[in-house]
Amino acid sequence: MTANQEIHFQSDRLLPDKISCLKHFFKNALAELDKESNMPEGVEIYVWERMCKYRQQKIESEQSVKQKALILADMNAFLQKRQEEEDTLKREINDIEMALAELQEDKFRFVCNLEVQLLLKQGQVEVDPVNWIHDFIDSILVHRQVVEDLNGKIKELGQIKIASMVESKDFHKGIIQLEWEHKKNLMQLEDLQKKMRDINMMKVTRQIQGYLNKEEHDGKKAQEISTLEQTLLMQKSHHEKNVEEQKRILKELKKTIKQKKEENKFLDQDLESINVSVNERQHISDVNAEKMLESTAEKRYQDIVQRRKLVDLAKAQAQEVAVLRAEVERLRMRTFPALVQVEH
């Protein structure tokens, strides 16, 4: 028990004695005031007694209130003092707990945080060197399984991200396709509107009305189709005949070309022999040039004249052959009927 508590208990023991003395003093004072000599004139005795009774009750209640107020003040002071002591004890407890925690941390650090030399493979150390000196103060040693689990988690998240991107791409692609279909539908709508406007603005002539009102339209159409089919068959047969004729002509031309090639081969051989003879004769001619100059000049002149006549004759014959070919073609076209091509 502290000294303050002893003083407080002593004050509690003295307080009832003081209160009893005050009560006795007030009773004597009230008895003096309640005497009939102090009663005002014109007031009856029972009224005076009732008033004295009420006054006594009022004074007693006021004294009781004052007494309770003193007790309350004393209790508040005691409570405040106890609260201050509690706050002081809490601060002391907190300081002791902090000191205990620091002590436990130091103990744990001294027990567990030991310097151990480890040999690690190249690539397992992920600490960046600073000025070619490794500083491992802020580093931690992680189990390989933790790193592998983290890498697996990163790969899983990457796959999820890729799947999300693919889904977003497909969704965007679907939006683009829908926009394209919307544009296509708008264009089709515009074309249909133009066609409807053209149909509305088209003038219906008598020919169109007759075509629409004609009952035998299907029969006429069938007749036209049969006519076109017959025409097509005739053209097909005529075409086949022309093809056969052209094949025959092509065969004859190939045969002629082959003959011409053989003739040219023989002519080349003759030309070689003739060139040999010409060279020999040219050599003899050069030897006897002075003697036979006049006779050779006359012969050369005759050869030139003869060659010119032959060339003119060949040209005339070629023109005559061309005229004959044109005439033959004209006669052949006159023999076959000319069919007009029908547009479908």
Side-chain angles (χ1 to χ4, degrees):
M1 184 178 293
T2 61
N4 293 327
Q5 290 176 351
E6 291 177 355
I7 293 170
H8 179 71
F9 289 150
Q10 290 177 2
S11 63
D12 290 340
R13 287 195 298 268
L14 293 174
L15 187 59
D17 297 335
K18 188 185 290 186
I19 292 171
S20 62
C21 293
L22 290 173
K23 284 183 178 181
H24 183 68
F25 176 74
F26 277 111
K27 284 183 179 180
N28 294 329
L30 288 174
E32 185 68 27
L33 291 174
D34 291 341
K35 291 180 179 181
E36 293 180 1
S37 59
N38 294 324
M39 183 178 62
E41 296 180 358
V43 179
E44 296 183 359
I45 188 65
Y46 70 92
V47 175
W48 174 251
E49 290 177 355
R50 187 181 295 175
M51 187 187 70
C52 290
K53 182 180 179 182
Y54 289 156
R55 183 174 59 185
Q56 185 178 359
Q57 291 177 357
K58 179 176 181 266
I59 291 171
E60 287 179 356
S61 61
E62 288 177 354
Q63 293 299 321
S64 177
V65 169
K66 289 180 181 179
Q67 182 181 355
K68 298 295 182 183
L70 291 173
I71 295 171
L72 180 62
D74 193 7
M75 292 174 67
N76 288 330
F78 180 74
L79 177 63
Q80 184 177 2
K81 187 176 180 181
R82 291 297 183 184
Q83 287 179 350
E84 291 176 356
E85 291 177 357
E86 184 182 3
D87 294 337
T88 304
L89 292 174
K90 284 183 178 180
R91 285 194 296 271
E92 291 178 357
I93 291 170
N94 290 329
D95 294 338
I96 293 170
E97 288 178 352
M98 291 176 64
L100 181 61
E102 292 178 357
L103 181 60
Q104 290 178 353
E105 185 177 357
D106 293 339
K107 180 181 178 182
F108 181 78
R109 184 171 63 253
F110 288 136
V111 172
C112 299
N113 192 8
L114 301 176
E115 292 184 0
V116 180
Q117 186 176 3
L118 299 174
L119 296 177
L120 299 177
K121 294 181 180 180
Q122 187 177 4
Q124 292 181 352
V125 180
E126 298 184 1
V127 178
D128 296 330
V130 180
N131 297 327
W132 302 100
I133 298 174
H134 293 281
D135 186 9
F136 299 102
I137 295 175
D138 297 331
S139 303
I140 58 174
L141 183 63
V142 182
H143 195 271
R144 181 176 180 178
Q145 187 64 32
V146 177
V147 179
E148 292 179 354
D149 293 341
L150 181 60
N151 291 333
K153 187 66 176 178
I154 292 171
K155 289 181 181 179
E156 183 179 356
L157 293 175
Q159 294 295 330
I160 294 172
K161 179 65 175 178
I162 291 171
S164 177
M165 293 174 68
V166 170
E167 185 178 359
S168 178
K169 178 181 71 65
D170 295 337
F171 183 73
H172 185 65
K173 184 178 179 181
I175 291 174
I176 293 173
Q177 186 175 2
L178 291 175
E179 289 179 352
W180 181 83
E181 290 180 357
H182 180 64
K183 291 181 180 179
K184 183 189 73 173
N185 293 328
L186 289 177
M187 291 180 180
Q188 290 179 353
L189 178 62
E190 186 177 358
D191 294 338
L192 293 174
Q193 288 177 352
K194 287 182 179 179
K195 288 181 181 179
M196 184 176 69
R197 186 167 56 252
D198 294 337
I199 292 170
N200 292 329
M201 295 180 66
M202 185 181 67
K203 294 181 179 180
V204 181
T205 60
R206 292 182 179 178
Q207 185 177 1
I208 296 173
Q209 291 179 358
Y211 177 78
L212 295 175
N213 296 326
K214 196 170 184 180
E215 296 179 355
E216 297 181 356
H217 175 66
D218 295 335
K220 185 177 180 182
K221 188 174 181 180
Q223 186 178 1
E224 289 178 357
I225 291 172
S226 63
T227 304
L228 291 174
E229 289 178 352
Q230 293 177 1
T231 305
L232 182 62
L233 292 174
M234 291 177 65
Q235 289 181 354
K236 187 175 181 181
S237 62
H238 179 65
H239 177 69
E240 290 177 354
K241 290 180 181 179
N242 289 334
V243 169
E244 293 293 334
E245 182 69 20
Q246 294 297 326
K247 286 182 179 179
R248 186 183 62 77
I249 294 171
L250 181 62
K251 187 176 181 181
E252 291 178 355
L253 290 174
K254 287 182 178 179
K255 186 176 180 181
T256 305
I257 289 169
K258 186 176 181 181
Q259 293 176 357
K260 292 297 182 182
K261 284 183 179 180
E262 292 178 355
E263 292 177 359
N264 289 332
K265 186 176 181 180
F266 291 128
L267 289 174
D268 290 336
Q269 294 176 358
D270 294 339
L271 182 62
E272 290 179 357
S273 61
I274 289 170
N275 285 330
V276 172
S277 301
V278 169
N279 290 327
E280 291 177 354
R281 291 183 180 184
Q282 185 69 31
H283 182 68
I284 296 170
S285 173
D286 291 337
V287 173
N288 299 322
E290 294 180 357
K291 296 180 181 180
M292 300 178 66
L293 181 62
E294 294 181 358
S295 61
T296 304
E298 183 65 23
K299 186 178 179 180
R300 185 177 296 175
Y301 176 74
Q302 292 296 330
D303 292 337
I304 291 170
V305 171
Q306 186 178 1
R307 184 175 179 279
R308 181 66 182 175
K309 288 181 180 180
L310 292 173
V311 170
D312 292 338
L313 181 61
K315 289 182 178 180
Q317 289 178 354
Q319 291 178 358
E320 186 177 358
V321 168
V323 172
L324 291 174
R325 281 184 178 177
E327 185 66 22
V328 168
E329 183 67 22
R330 186 176 64 81
L331 292 174
R332 186 177 65 80
M333 293 298 293
R334 184 180 296 177
T335 303
F336 296 99
L339 298 176
V340 181
Q341 294 182 356
V342 180
E343 294 181 358
H344 296 284

